[in-house]
Amino acid sequence: MIRPEEVFRIGRLGKPHGVKGEMVFMFDDDIFDRTDADYLVVETEGILVPFFISEYRFRNNETALMKLDGVDTVEQARQLTNCEVFFPRQLAQTDEEELTWAQIAGFTLVDEPSGTNIGEIRSVDDSTENVLFEVLTPEGRELLVPAADEFIRGVDGERRQIFVELPQGLLDL
């Protein structure tokens, strides 16, 4: 059984394309093309299910047409429409210099001066020029923390931690 902490979100499946099970894949991270991955993980009915990739071809920088093994009809493809797609962390490179925003989800944000656990990075909002970590604190509060280079002091990809030194009072907002 695949656990949520073993994968990270890279996109979602769109509508079927053609009649042989091919689907539109809208991706936020093209890691599936940059690594030797034979499969992707699709969340269907709350369960993470691996699907081997038969073939894919890019339409543009944000979408690809993808054929998954075992999905051979329009009806089967339609059942996967709007399902989230994930990539196995074990297949991703853990080089801290090459981590993508998608891979950072699930990391722990740590205050470097005190060593305090600020919380878990649930997602990264990179829709604007000012990238934000969406963090859930151990107390259950949701925080938006700037992902600015001047605040990040280090990354430990192995332990899945990001060390930051934030301006005084930022976490109290």
Side-chain angles (χ1 to χ4, degrees), residues 101-158:
W101 291 127
Q103 287 174 276
I104 289 172
F107 275 48
T108 302
L109 198 63
V110 178
D111 179 57
E112 186 181 62
S114 68
T116 305
N117 173 358
I118 296 171
E120 179 185 335
I121 299 171
R122 303 297 260 185
S123 64
V124 179
D125 180 354
D126 63 348
S127 62
T128 65
E129 191 171 326
N130 297 317
V131 178
L132 298 170
F133 293 134
E134 297 174 7
V135 178
L136 182 64
T137 69
E139 297 80 33
R141 281 184 47 214
E142 293 181 3
L143 301 173
L144 295 176
V145 178
D149 287 338
E150 61 263 23
F151 300 147
I152 298 174
R153 297 294 177 242
V155 177
D156 184 341
E158 190 78 19

Side-chain angles (χ1 to χ4, degrees), residues 55-117:
E55 61 184 61
Y56 64 89
R57 62 187 186 280
F58 289 98
R59 291 175 73 182
N60 56 44
N61 290 337
E62 299 169 345
T63 61
L65 296 177
M66 184 166 285
K67 174 76 175 72
L68 300 174
D69 282 356
V71 180
D72 300 315
T73 66
V74 174
E75 292 78 24
Q76 290 172 326
R78 196 172 286 127
Q79 290 177 352
L80 297 175
T81 298
N82 289 323
C83 287
E84 301 288 329
V85 178
F86 298 85
F87 193 81
R89 287 189 189 277
Q90 71 183 28
L91 299 179
Q93 296 176 351
T94 57
D95 182 3
E96 286 87 3
E97 297 296 318
E98 295 184 21
L99 286 172
T100 64
W101 291 127
Q103 287 174 276
I104 289 172
F107 275 48
T108 302
L109 198 63
V110 178
D111 179 57
E112 186 181 62
S114 68
T116 305
N117 173 358

